[in-house]
């Protein structure tokens, strides 16, 4: 094992020990610890945990690579995820927190007084979270596979073991504090390399101010080589696909069960709003850095690698070729590497850039630790969501309402281990690149939950029949369109990653039509829906609304 691998592996093992230590220290002792961290997380720390939960392997590993390969068209990921987070923070999170439940399926089941709706929501939550976690395990496979010069599939199984240990030990309480640590590690690991790259390329340590000039230079290089100009809009996809992807990511963000549940871990509606504000700041640090990362990485490859003799390529190319994520051809037969001769998997760009820019073994190791932190932080939140959907919403609320705390905790931990192993098996041969798999999860979340949650809060006339029809129709349409588009059958040029636009439309129409064609919900359910919209407690006297003392005390 070379020096670089030893340094990287040491940093990763140290962070693994830190995460497991935090989980042991914050071991869940009761179900409220396991599911919502006893609702005692302060807003600043919860905002940081949301940032860690939110910035998955797709954000850390995949996003900059996607922007580097796709240029302007890759910005749909940044704009969609950010816009959706704002939708969630302002339109749903405080209201869902006020309702005071543990999970999204529990909110849906109680809001519409329907165990059928609860069961459908729980099964859909498991499907969405399972899809999402496949992307996280694929990310861990990329990192570990490169470090140990192993196939990415072997790295996946190592990640499975670590995630299963710390998520099952600590529950939401342990996961929350590990996510705080993971956020600090991943944001440090993400920003340090682009500061060094900015210094190396421009002489200025502030990449956010300098990468615009690099984008202009890239455009000139692209024109000279006769390839699609970097950041020219709609060169890699058409306008309809760009907008469909952006919409899918927005509504999916606002409806992701594992992100929504993070707002349940604070004390009040006010704390939920402040958690959202802090999280937006922490998330922005990475999202504003991703385009700079993409620009500097592409610039270094275009100026220092492309145009070189293939038999004299830098040493960093060989280990990445061995992982199967980098392919080098000689289409022209002249022994010179052209841009078209490089087949770069977007998932390796962030991991490979410190090597490409020759930033030293410590920075390479730091990036590896940060990438693992990103994958593990989101995986932990997803596993708690899968666990709670099974152990709380299905096992406890539907099958065994008399189950003790100990039995519910045991069921939750078993669900975590089984889900991790199953997702790991699928991730051994992932059905797509990380950002693509994550986009499917967002499409499924938006198509299944967004109209139901949004109208469930803001339209008191919505009933259980509408919620059931909407969830089933939205989930079905989204799944069918993903499968059809993967086999070349598309509408309006929209690919599988934009499937949510069809699922949300079907869901919204079904919710409204079915709710209007069936009897209205009971009056107490309509009163609860009205109550959700206000920070104060409300009572109803003779048809009038009366405000009581603030619920935020």
């Amino acid at each position: 094992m070379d020096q670089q691998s030893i340094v990287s592996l040491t940093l990763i093992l140290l962070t693994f020990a830190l995460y497991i230590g935090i989980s042991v220290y914050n071991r869940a002792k009761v179900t409220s610890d396991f599911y919502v961290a006893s609702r005692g997380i302060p807003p600043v720390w919860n905002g940081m945990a949301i940032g860690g939960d939110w910035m998955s392997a797709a954000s850390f590993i995949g996003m900059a690579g996607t922007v580097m390969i796709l240029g302007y068209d890759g910005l749909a990921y940044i704009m969609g995820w950010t816009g959706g987070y704002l939708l969630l923070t302002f339109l749903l999170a405080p209201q869902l927190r006020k309702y005071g439940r543990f999970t999204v399926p529990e909110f849906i089941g109680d809001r519409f007084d329907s165990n059928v709706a609860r069961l459908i929501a729980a099964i859909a939550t498991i499907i969405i979270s399972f899809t999402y976690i496949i992307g996280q395990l694929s990310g861990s496979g990329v990192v570990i596979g490169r470090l140990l010069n192993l196939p990415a599939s072997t790295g996946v199984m190592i990640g499975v073991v670590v995630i299963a240990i710390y998520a099952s030990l600590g529950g939401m309480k342990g996961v929350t504090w590990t996510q705080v640590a993971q956020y600090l590690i991943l944001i440090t690991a993400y920003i340090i390399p682009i500061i060094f790259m900015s210094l190396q390329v421009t002489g200025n340590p502030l990449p956010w101010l300098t990468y615009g000039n690099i984008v202009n230079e890239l455009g000139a290089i692209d024109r000279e080589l006769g390839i699609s100009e970097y950041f020219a809009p709609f060169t890699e996809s058409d306008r309809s696909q760009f907008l469909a992807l952006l919409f899918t990511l927005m509504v999916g963000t606002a409806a992701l069960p594992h992100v929504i549940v993070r707002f349940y871990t604070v004390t009040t509606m006010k704390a939920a709003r402040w958690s959202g504000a802090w999280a937006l700041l922490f998330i922005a640090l990475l999202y504003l850095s991703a385009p700079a990362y993409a620009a500097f990485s592409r610039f270094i490859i275009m100026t220092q690698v492309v145009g070189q003799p293939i038999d004299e390529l830098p040493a960093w190319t060989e280990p990445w070729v061995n992982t199967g994520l980098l392919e080098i051809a000689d289409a022209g037969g002249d022994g010179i590497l052209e841009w078209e001769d490089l087949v770069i998997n977007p998932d390796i760009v962030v991991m490979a850039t410190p090597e490409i820019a020759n930033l030293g073994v410590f920075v390479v190791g730091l990036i590896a630790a940060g990438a693992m932190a990103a994958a593990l932080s989101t995986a932990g939140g997803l596993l708690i969501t899968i666990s709670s959907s099974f152990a709380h919403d299905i096992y406890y609320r539907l099958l065994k309402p008399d189950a003790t705390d100990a039995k519910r905790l045991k069921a939750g931990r078993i669900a975590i281990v089984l889900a991790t192993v199953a997702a790991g098996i699928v991730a051994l041969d992932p059905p797509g690149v990380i950002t693509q798999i994550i986009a499917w999860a967002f499409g499924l979340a938006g198509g299944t939950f967004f109209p139901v949650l949004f109208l469930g809060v803001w339209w008191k006339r919505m009933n259980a029949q509408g919620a059931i029809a909407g969830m089933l129709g939205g989930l079905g349409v989204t799944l069918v369109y993903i499968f059809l588009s993967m086999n070349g059958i598309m509408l309006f040029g929209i690919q599988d990653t934009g499937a949510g636009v069809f699922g949300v439309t079907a869901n919204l129409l079904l919710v409204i039509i079915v709710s209007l064609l069936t009897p209205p919900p009971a009056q107490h359910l309509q009163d609860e829906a009205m109550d959700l919209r206000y920070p104060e407690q409300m009572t109803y006297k003779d048809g009038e609304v009366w405000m009581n003392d603030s619920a935020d005390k």
Side-chain angles (χ1 to χ4, degrees):
M1 188 181 294
D2 59 17
Q3 183 186 11
Q4 176 182 302
S5 297
I6 292 171
V7 171
S8 301
L9 195 59
T10 301
L11 286 172
I12 286 181
L13 290 175
L14 287 174
T15 58
F16 280 1
L18 174 65
Y19 306 150
I20 293 173
I22 291 172
S23 293
V24 170
Y25 182 76
N26 292 285
R27 183 180 173 85
K29 297 180 177 64
V30 295
T31 50
S32 62
D33 279 349
F34 196 82
Y35 296 132
V36 290
S38 295
R39 303 196 198 278
I41 306 298
V44 175
W45 298 112
N46 195 49
M48 197 173 289
I50 291 170
D53 199 357
W54 178 243
M55 287 183 291
S56 64
S59 292
F60 190 97
I61 299 175
M63 187 164 60
T66 299
V67 174
M68 192 193 91
I69 303 297
L70 299 182
Y72 181 95
D73 297 350
L75 293 178
Y77 285 92
I78 295 177
M79 292 190 285
W81 282 332
T82 307
Y85 185 79
L86 292 171
L87 276 180
L88 172 62
T89 301
F90 292 113
L91 295 180
L92 288 176
Q95 291 77 19
L96 295 177
R97 169 61 191 88
K98 185 178 182 183
Y99 206 66
R101 301 306 191 265
F102 280 179
T103 66
V104 169
E106 189 174 29
F107 167 80
I108 289 173
D110 290 355
R111 163 67 180 84
F112 301 110
D113 194 20
S114 168
N115 281 335
V116 175
R118 186 193 318 279
L119 179 62
I120 293 168
I123 293 171
T125 296
I126 292 171
I127 293 171
I128 293 160
S129 300
F130 188 81
T131 304
Y132 206 134
I133 202 171
I134 291 169
Q136 308 314 308
L137 292 173
S138 296
S140 67
V142 171
V143 179
I144 297 173
R146 166 61 188 91
L147 286 179
L148 304 179
N149 275 327
L150 296 170
S153 57
T154 306
V156 167
M157 298 315 295
I158 296 172
V160 163
V161 173
V162 176
I163 294 168
I165 291 172
Y166 86 77
S168 60
L169 276 176
M172 180 58 85
K173 186 177 180 183
V175 164
T176 295
W177 292 110
T178 56
Q179 283 172 340
V180 170
Q182 285 158 344
Y183 173 81
L184 293 170
I185 290 167
L186 75 86
I187 200 64
T188 302
Y190 203 81
I191 288 177
I192 284 177
I194 58 168
I195 290 174
F196 279 123
M197 280 193 290
S198 182
L199 272 170
Q200 188 181 99
V201 175
T202 69
N204 187 320
L206 299 175
W208 309 277
L209 302 180
T210 61
Y211 83 90
N213 297 328
I214 298 301
V215 170
N216 291 334
E217 292 188 39
L218 282 169
I221 294 171
D222 291 344
R223 287 192 294 273
E224 184 180 324
L225 295 176
I227 61 177
S228 297
E229 189 173 337
Y230 192 57
F231 268 92
F234 313 125
T235 56
E236 300 293 333
S237 66
D238 60 29
R239 191 186 304 269
S240 58
Q241 164 61 14
F242 182 88
L243 294 175
L245 175 59
L246 193 153
F247 177 82
T248 295
L249 297 176
M250 280 185 66
V251 295
T253 296
L256 275 176
H258 81 281
V259 174
I260 290 174
V261 77
R262 286 246 49 94
F263 290 91
Y264 293 174
T265 62
V266 294
T267 52
T268 62
M269 285 182 77
K270 182 178 180 181
R273 290 191 181 95
W274 274 108
S275 292
W278 281 110
L280 196 58
L281 171 65
F282 296 133
I283 291 168
L285 289 175
L286 188 139
Y287 276 21
L288 291 174
S289 303
Y293 218 123
F296 286 125
S297 300
R298 184 170 173 127
F299 181 79
I300 291 171
I301 291 175
M302 295 290 276
T303 56
Q304 298 180 18
V305 180
V306 171
Q308 301 299 311
I310 289 180
D311 57 1
E312 297 179 15
L313 291 180
W316 65 266
T317 57
E318 183 180 349
W320 281 111
V321 169
N322 292 340
T323 66
L325 299 174
L326 176 67
E327 297 176 24
I328 296 173
D330 185 9
D334 57 0
I336 301 298
L337 184 68
E338 306 293 341
W339 175 252
E340 293 85 352
D341 295 337
L342 277 173
V343 180
I344 304 172
N345 187 308
D347 297 343
I348 75 167
V349 170
V350 168
M351 289 296 301
T353 295
E355 299 171 71
I356 296 169
N358 197 24
L359 298 181
V361 293
F362 180 78
V363 176
V364 175
L366 189 62
I367 276 281
M372 286 304 299
L376 295 177
S377 61
T378 302
L382 289 165
L383 286 170
I384 295 300
T385 302
I386 291 172
S387 168
S388 58
S389 293
F390 171 75
H392 183 70
D393 296 308
I394 296 176
Y395 175 73
Y396 173 61
R397 293 298 302 266
L398 295 178
L399 300 178
K400 293 280 187 180
D402 58 344
T404 63
D405 255 20
K407 286 184 177 179
R408 290 163 64 190
L409 283 172
K410 183 179 179 181
R413 290 184 167 119
I414 291 171
I416 282 177
V417 173
L418 292 178
T420 314
V421 172
I425 291 170
V426 177
L428 290 175
D429 184 20
V433 298
I434 293 173
T435 46
Q436 183 184 22
I437 297 170
I438 302 304
W440 296 343
F442 279 74
L444 292 170
T448 306
F449 287 134
F450 182 74
V452 173
L453 293 173
F454 179 74
L455 294 178
V457 168
W458 298 103
W459 187 35
K460 66 178 184 177
R461 175 64 176 78
M462 183 179 170
N463 61 17
Q465 294 93 323
I468 291 167
M471 286 189 293
L472 289 176
L475 177 62
V477 167
T478 308
L479 280 171
V480 168
Y481 192 82
I482 288 173
F483 287 120
L484 289 177
S485 59
M486 292 287 284
N487 289 289
I489 302 172
M490 295 185 286
L491 298 175
F492 314 113
I494 296 172
Q495 300 166 18
D496 53 291
T497 49
V501 73
F502 299 106
V504 171
T505 302
N507 190 329
L508 186 65
L509 291 174
L510 284 168
V511 166
I512 294 172
I513 292 170
V514 173
S515 291
L516 291 176
L517 291 178
T518 50
Q523 187 60 45
H524 75 276
L525 295 177
Q526 296 188 50
D527 292 345
E528 284 181 359
M530 288 292 295
D531 183 44
L532 286 177
R533 306 174 194 178
Y534 301 95
E536 294 85 4
Q537 297 284 14
M538 297 171 57
T539 55
Y540 299 84
K541 298 179 182 178
D542 301 323
E544 295 183 3
V545 178
W546 293 69
M547 297 293 184
N548 299 328
D549 292 336
S550 170
D552 281 355
K553 288 193 292 188

